Amino acid sequence: MYLLIVFIPLVTSLVSGLGGRFIGKLGSQVLTSLGVLMSATLSSVAFYEVGICGSPCYVEFLPWISSDMLRVYWGFQFDSLTVVMLVVVTYVSTLVHLYSIGYMSEDPHIPRFMSYLSLFTFFMLMLVTGDNLVQLFFGWEGVGVCSYLLISFWYTRIQANKAALKAMVMNRVGDFGLSLGIFASFYVFKSLDYATIFSLAPYYVDFQIPFLYWSFGSLNLIGILLFVGAVGKSAQLGLHTWLPDAMEGPTPVSALIHAATMVTAGVFLISRCSPLYEYAPKALLVVTIIGGTTAFFAATTGLVQNDLKRVIAYSTCSQLGYMIFACGLSGYSIGMFHLMNHAFFKALLFLSAGSVIHALADEQDMRKMGGMLNIVPLTYTMMLIGSMSLMGFPFLTGFYSKDVILEFSFAKYTIDSSFVFWLGVISAFFTAFYSFRLIYLTFFGEPNSIRSVVSKSHDAPVIMALPLMLLCLGSVFVGYIFRDLIIGLGTDFWGSALYVSPHNSAHIDSEFIPHMVKLMPVCLSVLGALASLYVYEKLALEIGSLYKTAIWLSVYKFLNGRWLFDSVYNYFVAEKLMSFGYHISFKTLDKGIIEFMGPSGLISLISTWSIRVSRLNTGYLYHSAFLMMLGAVIVLGVTRVCQMESDIAYVKLAFVQVICGLFYLGSVGRDSIKLI
Amino acid sequence: MVWGISVFKLSIPFIIFFIGLSGIFLNRRNIIILLMSVELMLLSINFGFILFSVYLDDIVGQIFSLLVLTVAAAESAIGLAILVIYYRVRKTISIESIRLMKG
């Protein structure tokens, strides 16, 4: 059963991808959806057995690599952490599959799309179920590849291809860090199995890895390198620029990437490696700071984006920042809980956005929307619930995890935790602001879209509405239902899956923080939402004129240009690397030194020298005669001079050579013919 | 003693040979002079043969020099014949104009 969870999506993906021609459009839709549905059902059972009944399960499937000390198995490990991810991934994936049936109904490449979706799910399941770092890496790269395939699903669009390449390359930067982390952990622990690594971690606290003239604390180094991988995959500050561009794919793909799979892998990795991170305080510090700044950065950037999906993309980035810094503060369970909740309301938001975009004939610009309330009331309801859940409105799913994250970070009483606490609180305000900005611009106000489009637009059809409603239920109730199970004080749900060292734990402290602090994020969220509505209802014109002043315009440009990260990267990294690639490695090395030393250089060398040598034959008789004699002298000189011992020979030869030289000079001088 | 004499005696054909050789190199105008230089070289060779024949007391050198004389006569006859024909065709006997093949 446990292996079926993982492999059903692979089988359906292969059948639909390779045999899509035979099973047809409907066949592939039904097959893949049923596949993930079965997988979801089985993962519910797994959740019950492993999570609730507390019986982790390990399956050693097949040997993979066996080379000296390195032994890697295709091994599967189902503990609490895995089953939480399993449930999230399979459920959201099922709903996305269902939704895609409606959303992609007009597309000519449905079998391919469904196949990619299922393959994506399969790789994500491989990632979360692996019991060693290599298998994690397999899934890690697999979701990267699938994200590439899905983002560039409409491969005729240049933007989609560019975005897909960017996603692939940015991810690869992170993956390089991850693979270095894996190498480092093999160097230190001589093993890649989680079980071995994590049980050995406490004994390697003082172990140093020498590198050039430095030496690094092994656990900190491994932690930071693994986190680099997480930064790439989870779009944390530094490698986040691919995520907003990944909006070029179909909307269900964005939902899958942003909600359940792919970006959550980073949080999963850190939680999975919690026994390692607990002994790596510096790595945790890095994780915390990066997570907090990402939350803040993405929240501010989301404020002024005009693309419907891009706003949600930045909110994903921001929420991932929350999860990461929760993990950085050793609140792994809270991070995972937020991940789970976020999966539901973010999938809901994306799919609702897809519904709006579908209704408006693929219009994504919020400035060209407005007044959709009466046209798509169901979608509006769904989006409102999703957004309120996102901003942590009390008694919705987001509230139960987000506020806990903030309380937890307040209760740590360290410098970095206060730093991320304040960033998180400010981000909460911004989150509410841009969520309601999105709702206002899309659903309220005057309709700004084209009349012919609006007159034909309609609410989501049943096949699209059903996933929305199910996700809506999740967005409302999941947080409440699972709160005590997952992050309740003293819950034994996690078993040995997560480890928090006692002096890092702040779970108890967070119960005793001032009520003002507990209420602050909620108040700020509500305030942000109201401010947003007020600004866009009453002050829209004043806002417009505000942007005419230089300072606000520059702020606007800064935020709308996403803190100018892309420009800086393009200018200082991409362009430099591209010009290096063209000028240095291509023109100078490949076309230059290597070709010069190699084929073309040899060709020109031989041809020029053969021309020079053949030019010796000038056609003049006396030159030929001279060369004959010169040749004779050289042959005689070479063959005889060694054998001759008498001084006469030397004298004679010297005489002959002097005469020859004179003749040579004479002939060159008189004719000024360049023999050589 | 032997050393001094042999150097002195050998120097004569040697120098004559080089005069012939330089005639071939340095002469740019006239094929007749070329042929004359060749003759001079052959003469110096003959001189050498006879010198060694006397010096080594061996008759073969003199026989060989007779043969060389014969060959030289025949060769210069043929050479002059070619020269005459060449002159008929080209109206010149300048060596510098004989340049039909280049590398």
Side-chain angles (χ1 to χ4, degrees):
Chain A
M1 182 199 95
Y2 284 98
L3 290 183
L4 276 185
I5 297 175
V6 181
F7 286 106
I8 288 175
L10 175 67
V11 172
T12 58
S13 158
L14 288 178
V15 171
S16 154
L18 300 175
R21 196 173 286 278
F22 306 108
I23 59 174
K25 177 177 151 183
L26 188 68
S28 62
Q29 285 169 338
V30 171
L31 182 75
T32 51
S33 304
L34 274 182
V36 284
L37 184 63
M38 280 165 72
S39 194
T41 318
L42 293 177
S43 17
S44 316
V45 179
F47 186 81
Y48 172 75
E49 282 189 358
V50 175
I52 295 174
C53 299
S55 58
C57 169
Y58 299 86
V59 183
E60 201 171 88
F61 187 43
L62 286 171
W64 185 4
I65 301 168
S66 175
S67 165
D68 201 23
M69 275 189 303
L70 177 66
R71 279 172 194 279
V72 180
Y73 280 82
W74 290 101
F76 296 88
Q77 164 180 348
F78 295 84
D79 57 6
S80 316
L81 192 63
T82 300
V83 291
V84 168
M85 289 300 288
L86 276 185
V87 167
V88 167
V89 171
T90 53
Y91 271 58
V92 174
S93 179
T94 308
L95 296 175
V96 167
H97 273 75
L98 271 181
Y99 182 89
S100 304
I101 294 177
Y103 189 82
M104 302 295 284
S105 58
E106 305 297 320
D107 201 274
H109 296 291
I110 285 171
R112 182 162 67 94
F113 185 73
M114 303 308 281
S115 166
Y116 287 168
L117 278 187
S118 282
L119 194 66
F120 201 127
T121 314
F122 163 71
F123 275 122
M124 193 64 201
L125 294 176
M126 283 303 273
L127 196 161
V128 297
T129 53
D131 77 341
N132 57 63
L133 283 168
V134 182
Q135 200 173 325
L136 176 121
F137 194 68
F138 173 75
W140 197 271
E141 295 295 303
V143 290
V145 168
C146 286
S147 75
Y148 171 77
L149 293 172
L150 282 169
I151 293 167
S152 65
F153 177 72
W154 289 317
Y155 54 79
T156 48
R157 297 176 56 222
I158 185 83
Q159 283 304 330
N161 280 312
K162 278 158 72 179
L165 276 177
K166 189 174 183 182
M168 194 76 181
V169 172
M170 294 298 272
N171 266 301
R172 207 54 64 244
V173 175
D175 295 345
F176 187 63
L178 178 65
S179 47
L180 285 181
I182 293 174
F183 301 153
S185 61
F186 184 69
Y187 174 77
V188 175
F189 299 110
K190 306 288 182 282
S191 169
L192 292 169
D193 292 340
Y194 291 144
T196 316
I197 293 176
F198 297 157
S199 52
L200 284 178
Y203 302 101
Y204 282 85
V205 173
D206 298 325
F207 190 78
Q208 300 278 315
I209 295 178
F211 182 73
L212 299 179
Y213 279 102
W214 301 283
S215 66
F216 298 101
S218 59
L219 295 182
N220 281 321
L221 183 70
I222 294 172
I224 290 171
L225 287 173
L226 292 180
F227 179 62
V228 170
V231 165
K233 205 54 102 188
S234 291
Q236 294 300 295
L237 201 67
L239 295 175
H240 64 278
T241 54
W242 67 271
L243 192 69
D245 287 2
M247 293 296 100
E248 291 296 335
T251 309
V253 172
S254 311
L256 203 57
I257 290 180
H258 286 242
T261 58
M262 187 98 181
V263 293
T264 56
V267 184
F268 170 77
L269 174 68
I270 295 174
S271 304
R272 173 57 85 202
C273 296
S274 58
L276 201 74
Y277 277 100
E278 282 306 295
Y279 295 100
K282 284 176 193 159
L284 278 182
L285 182 68
V286 172
V287 173
T288 313
I289 300 293
I290 300 270
T293 42
T294 308
F296 179 70
F297 152 77
T300 52
T301 309
L303 286 176
V304 291
Q305 299 299 316
N306 292 318
D307 189 312
L308 180 62
K309 280 168 79 180
R310 193 156 276 182
V311 174
I312 308 177
Y314 276 109
S315 83
T316 301
C317 209
S318 177
Q319 298 303 310
L320 283 165
Y322 277 98
M323 294 174 214
I324 294 279
F325 80 67
C327 289
L329 297 172
S330 301
Y332 305 103
S333 56
I334 305 174
M336 285 305 292
F337 186 50
H338 193 52
L339 187 157
M340 182 175 169
N341 298 346
H342 172 259
F344 287 100
F345 61 72
K346 191 47 60 74
L348 177 64
L349 276 175
F350 262 113
L351 297 185
S352 311
S355 176
V356 173
I357 293 165
H358 200 63
L360 284 177
D362 297 335
E363 178 56 64
Q364 294 197 17
D365 198 329
M366 288 197 297
R367 290 169 298 188
K368 297 182 187 166
M369 295 180 179
M372 296 290 288
L373 180 55
N374 295 323
I375 304 168
V376 286
L378 176 83
T379 308
Y380 165 70
T381 316
M382 299 303 158
M383 202 153 209
L384 187 65
I385 291 170
S387 293
M388 289 176 80
S389 194
L390 169 69
M391 64 181 238
F393 196 78
F395 315 121
L396 292 178
T397 293
F399 170 74
Y400 289 99
S401 50
K402 190 171 172 179
D403 277 24
V404 172
I405 289 179
L406 292 174
E407 285 167 21
F408 187 79
S409 59
F410 184 82
K412 282 279 273 198
Y413 303 115
T414 56
I415 291 170
D416 53 315
S417 76
S418 327
F419 173 69
V420 295
F421 169 73
W422 286 108
L423 284 186
V425 168
I426 298 165
S427 308
F429 177 82
F430 287 149
T431 306
F433 191 92
Y434 68 65
S435 296
F436 270 80
R437 173 175 176 270
L438 184 151
I439 285 182
Y440 186 86
L441 289 179
T442 311
F443 296 104
F444 295 107
E446 297 295 315
N448 291 323
S449 42
I450 306 162
R451 184 192 171 94
S452 60
V453 171
V454 174
S455 60
K456 270 185 265 173
S457 69
H458 53 86
D459 210 341
V462 179
I463 194 75
M464 281 161 70
L466 187 67
L468 287 184
M469 290 188 240
L470 292 174
L471 283 171
C472 173
L473 288 180
S475 300
V476 178
F477 294 114
V478 161
Y480 171 70
I481 293 172
F482 288 105
R483 184 197 137 83
D484 263 358
L485 179 67
I486 293 179
I487 56 167
L489 200 59
T491 175
D492 59 353
F493 173 78
W494 293 106
S496 60
L498 294 179
Y499 169 72
V500 179
S501 76
H503 59 267
N504 274 347
S505 173
H507 288 89
I508 297 175
D509 295 327
S510 67
E511 303 288 331
F512 295 104
I513 61 174
H515 278 91
M516 284 302 290
V517 177
K518 284 198 173 198
L519 286 176
M520 187 161 61
V522 173
C523 295
L524 275 175
S525 286
V526 175
L527 202 66
L530 294 176
S532 171
L533 288 179
Y534 179 71
V535 163
Y536 283 94
E537 178 69 32
K538 301 284 184 198
L539 299 179
L541 292 175
E542 282 85 342
I543 286 286
S545 58
L546 198 61
Y547 287 145
K548 283 175 187 155
T549 55
I551 182 158
W552 282 105
L553 187 65
S554 62
V555 168
Y556 177 80
K557 276 185 176 167
F558 181 67
L559 294 180
N560 193 34
R562 311 147 212 178
W563 285 27
L564 307 182
F565 262 97
D566 281 289
S567 321
V568 170
Y569 277 2
N570 285 342
Y571 186 76
F572 286 106
V573 182
E575 210 171 274
K576 293 281 183 289
L577 282 178
M578 297 266 271
S579 82
F580 176 84
Y582 182 69
H583 287 114
I584 307 291
S585 60
F586 175 65
K587 280 188 119 175
T588 310
L589 281 176
D590 269 17
K591 297 283 283 180
I593 293 173
I594 292 173
E595 274 213 23
F596 183 71
M597 298 291 187
S600 71
L602 217 55
I603 289 168
S604 72
L605 186 78
I606 288 171
S607 64
T608 52
W609 273 96
S610 59
I611 287 169
R612 283 178 181 185
V613 169
S614 77
R615 215 185 285 150
L616 281 176
N617 183 9
T618 53
Y620 291 113
L621 211 55
Y622 36 86
H623 285 156
S624 305
F626 167 70
L627 284 174
M628 266 165 67
M629 195 197 67
L630 191 69
V633 167
I634 288 170
V635 168
L636 279 176
V638 170
T639 54
R640 309 297 287 184
V641 81
C642 310
Q643 299 164 13
M644 289 186 185
E645 288 172 3
S646 73
D647 296 338
I648 312 168
Y650 284 118
V651 173
K652 286 177 185 167
L653 267 173
F655 179 69
V656 170
Q657 281 160 358
V658 168
I659 298 287
C660 287
L662 287 176
F663 280 140
Y664 175 71
L665 287 177
S667 69
V668 170
R670 264 175 51 183
D671 289 349
S672 68
I673 291 167
K674 286 181 182 160
L675 281 174
I676 295 175
Chain B
M1 195 63 191
V2 173
W3 186 87
I5 291 168
S6 69
V7 166
F8 174 69
K9 285 176 183 166
L10 273 174
S11 297
I12 296 167
F14 200 72
I15 290 164
I16 297 171
F17 184 86
F18 269 94
I19 290 169
L21 207 59
S22 50
I24 291 176
F25 295 145
L26 302 180
N27 157 45
R28 309 256 149 135
R29 299 264 169 243
N30 210 326
I31 299 180
I32 295 177
I33 294 174
L34 192 77
L35 286 169
M36 283 159 68
S37 305
V38 172
E39 288 302 311
L40 201 61
M41 284 164 75
L42 287 165
L43 189 73
S44 73
I45 299 290
N46 266 342
F47 200 112
F49 274 129
I50 290 164
L51 198 76
F52 277 109
S53 166
V54 171
Y55 182 69
L56 299 171
D57 197 17
D58 190 346
I59 199 74
V60 176
Q62 294 168 33
I63 293 169
F64 206 85
S65 77
L66 277 173
L67 288 175
V68 172
L69 273 179
T70 319
V71 172
E75 178 243 285
S76 56
I78 293 168
L80 284 169
I82 292 170
L83 171 67
V84 170
I85 293 166
Y86 185 79
Y87 181 73
R88 260 190 223 149
V89 177
R90 299 286 295 266
K91 303 295 181 198
T92 175
I93 52 166
S94 166
I95 299 172
E96 279 172 333
S97 62
I98 309 173
R99 201 187 170 196
L100 293 175
M101 286 196 292
K102 273 198 285 187

